């Protein structure tokens, strides 16, 4: 029997392609192989999807999930599990009717995919997680050049990455993209789930091309999802979206006040919420989710997005980062931590759960449960002891934020003035 704290069905079902064409285990994986020798080897530009799917690398990943050793690539899910949050691992296992918190052994034995998990080679891809480029109109403070062209421009300017750094998205490689389309034409009948992510997909031509591809194949059974920064409302696609079984639009957002404009530089929270209104009204048949990345920049104001989500009945799907280290919530000084915890606890206490319901975090009908759990999980993160190098890391925080602010012509203190004291004390000088 596999270990209930380790087992994950993703290696048997989901293919993940990074922006540069490298194959990775899943979209939540930390320490991706982009830009490494492994990334150049295990790449759609170098091999077919079928060659990779049952390669020695994928066989090894499946064996790990059947064992007792945590894959080092799976820190994010392990972190969310430890905080009591519903991780991607748990969500994906539910698709195999496997309950990782309760009754794991029995549900695993009775899973309709039980026999499949005895094999490490025989499997069909049922889910696609496609990163389609880094073209983006925002420069989010915690983002990477792999996911944002604006972040790449800043980091080159600041010397954080090499001045000749570049990324050629696999969808712009004519041979790789055509190989994908040819493979898809032969295998689309097996695909049940597709997730698309940029950059900002609206600014990437291949997003519309892929939506056309799914529509042309009349994939009425498809569960389509994509992540947007909220600066576009996507209503031009609504007739195509109606053709699919389910469409989920994840909106990247951190707070519901102007601190979001600082964290996600280039955005306007008023415009994003207007776009959310438009999507809820004109594409009522789509499911919306707020996608957050809690950092020390957002936790003090995090209840603003929790309240907005509750008002609109939109679930939150948080990704707890493990980098950049200088933005982790562990570094927030104790006084600010205490205030954030008090606000989160007040929000959690304000939600009365009167019945014991199964919590599907993506179900808007259970939004009270999922938002309360989100607040409780973040409290647990804030209660962790600060790292031994907290003082040095706070200096790094102040320096990095000041560099970004000078580049963008902004100041964090105009958006989050309550941080003035500790940031100045650690060298913030913008």
């Amino acid at each position: 029997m596999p270990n209930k704290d380790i087992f994950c069905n993703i290696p048997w079902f989901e293919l993940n392609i990074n922006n540069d064409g490298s194959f990775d285990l899943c979209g939540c994986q930390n320490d991706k192989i982009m830009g490494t020798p492994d990334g150049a080897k295990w790449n759609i530009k170098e091999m077919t999807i079928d060659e990779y799917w049952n390669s020695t690398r994928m066989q090894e990943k499946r064996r790990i999930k059947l064992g007792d050793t945590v894959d080092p690539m799976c820190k994010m899910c392990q972190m969310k599990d430890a905080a009591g949050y519903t991780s991607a691992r748990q969500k994906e296992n539910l698709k195999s009717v496997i309950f990782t918190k309760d009754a794991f052994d029995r549900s695993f034995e009775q899973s309709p995919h039980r026999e499949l998990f005895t094999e490490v080679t025989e499997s069909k891809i049922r889910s696609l997680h496609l990163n389609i480029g880094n073209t983006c109109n925002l420069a989010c403070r915690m983002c990477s050049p792999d996911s944002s062209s604006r972040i790449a421009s800043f980091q080159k300017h600041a010397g954080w990455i090499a001045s000749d750094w570049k990324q050629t998205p696999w969808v712009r490689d004519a041979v790789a993209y055509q190989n994908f389309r040819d493979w898809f034409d032969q295998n689309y009948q097996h695909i049940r789930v597709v997730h698309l992510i940029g950059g900002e997909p609206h600014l990437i031509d291949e997003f519309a091309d892929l939506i056309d591809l799914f529509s042309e194949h009349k994939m009425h059974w498809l569960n389509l999802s994509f992540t947007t920064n909220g600066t576009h409302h996507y209503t031009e696609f609504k007739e195509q979206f109606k053709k699919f079984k389910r469409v989920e639009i994840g909106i990247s957002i951190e707070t519901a006040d102007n601190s979001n404009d600082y964290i996600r530089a280039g955005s306007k929270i008023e415009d994003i919420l207007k776009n959310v209104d438009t999507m809820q009204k004109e594409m009522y048949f789509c499911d919306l989710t707020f996608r957050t990345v809690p950092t020390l920049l957002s936790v003090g104001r995090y209840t603003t997005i929790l309240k907005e989500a509750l008002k609109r009945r939109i679930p939150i799907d948080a990704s707890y980062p493990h980098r950049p280290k200088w933005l982790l919530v562990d570094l927030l000084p104790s006084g600010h931590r205490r205030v954030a915890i008090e606000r989160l606890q007040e929000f959690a206490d304000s939600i009365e759960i009167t019945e014991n319901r199964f919590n599907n975090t993506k179900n808007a009908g259970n939004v009270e449960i999922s938002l309360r759990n989100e607040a409780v999980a973040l409290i647990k993160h804030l209660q962790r002891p600060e790292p031994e190098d907290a003082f040095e890391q706070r200096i790094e925080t102040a320096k990095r934020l000041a560099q970004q602010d000078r580049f963008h012509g902004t100041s964090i203190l105009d958006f989050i003035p309550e941080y003035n004291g500790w940031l100045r004390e650690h060298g913030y000088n913008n």
Side-chain angles (χ1 to χ4, degrees), residues 40-62:
K41 173 184 176 182
W42 305 109
N43 197 296
I44 194 171
K45 299 173 186 176
E46 300 297 326
M47 63 174 55
T48 67
I49 290 174
D50 288 335
E51 286 173 336
Y52 174 72
W53 187 241
N54 286 313
S55 65
T56 54
R57 184 170 189 249
M58 284 303 294
Q59 291 178 44
E60 177 192 12
K61 294 301 182 183
R62 292 170 190 143

Side-chain angles (χ1 to χ4, degrees), residues 249-263:
I249 304 174
I251 301 140
S252 295
I253 192 169
E254 305 306 322
T255 66
D257 63 15
N258 72 340
S259 60
N260 191 78
D261 300 346
Y262 176 80
I263 300 168

Side-chain angles (χ1 to χ4, degrees), residues 411-422:
S411 169
I412 185 175
L413 304 180
D414 291 334
F415 298 87
I416 314 177
E418 61 268 32
Y419 282 6
N420 178 68
W422 74 269

Side-chain angles (χ1 to χ4, degrees), residues 40-174:
K41 173 184 176 182
W42 305 109
N43 197 296
I44 194 171
K45 299 173 186 176
E46 300 297 326
M47 63 174 55
T48 67
I49 290 174
D50 288 335
E51 286 173 336
Y52 174 72
W53 187 241
N54 286 313
S55 65
T56 54
R57 184 170 189 249
M58 284 303 294
Q59 291 178 44
E60 177 192 12
K61 294 301 182 183
R62 292 170 190 143
R63 288 192 184 97
I64 290 175
K65 295 304 180 189
L66 295 171
D68 287 312
T69 302
V70 175
D71 190 326
M73 299 295 191
C74 300
K75 293 176 185 175
M76 187 178 294
C77 280
Q78 292 294 319
M79 189 190 322
K80 294 180 82 170
D81 287 346
Y85 195 78
T86 305
S87 66
R89 182 182 75 89
Q90 294 179 39
K91 294 173 188 175
E92 294 302 315
N93 282 339
L94 284 175
K95 295 176 183 177
S96 294
V97 202
I98 295 174
F99 301 93
T100 48
K101 286 186 177 179
D102 302 303
F104 172 81
D105 289 359
R106 185 172 65 180
S107 62
F108 183 86
E109 286 296 334
Q110 295 178 352
S111 169
H113 304 137
R114 172 67 178 85
E115 290 187 10
L116 177 64
F117 300 138
T118 65
E119 302 286 343
V120 294
T121 57
E122 295 301 322
S123 175
K124 290 186 182 298
I125 298 170
R126 293 170 174 81
S127 176
L128 296 172
H129 190 285
L130 306 178
N131 295 263
I132 57 174
N134 72 338
T135 302
C136 192
N137 54 336
L138 301 187
C140 303
R141 307 284 169 167
M142 59 288 185
C143 198
S144 69
D146 298 308
S147 299
S148 169
S149 51
R150 284 197 63 191
I151 283 290
S153 295
F154 159 70
Q155 292 195 7
K156 287 181 183 181
H157 171 84
W160 294 13
I161 58 175
S163 59
D164 60 351
W165 182 95
K166 66 177 181 179
Q167 180 190 89
T168 303
W170 67 274
V171 295
R172 299 288 172 84
D173 183 295

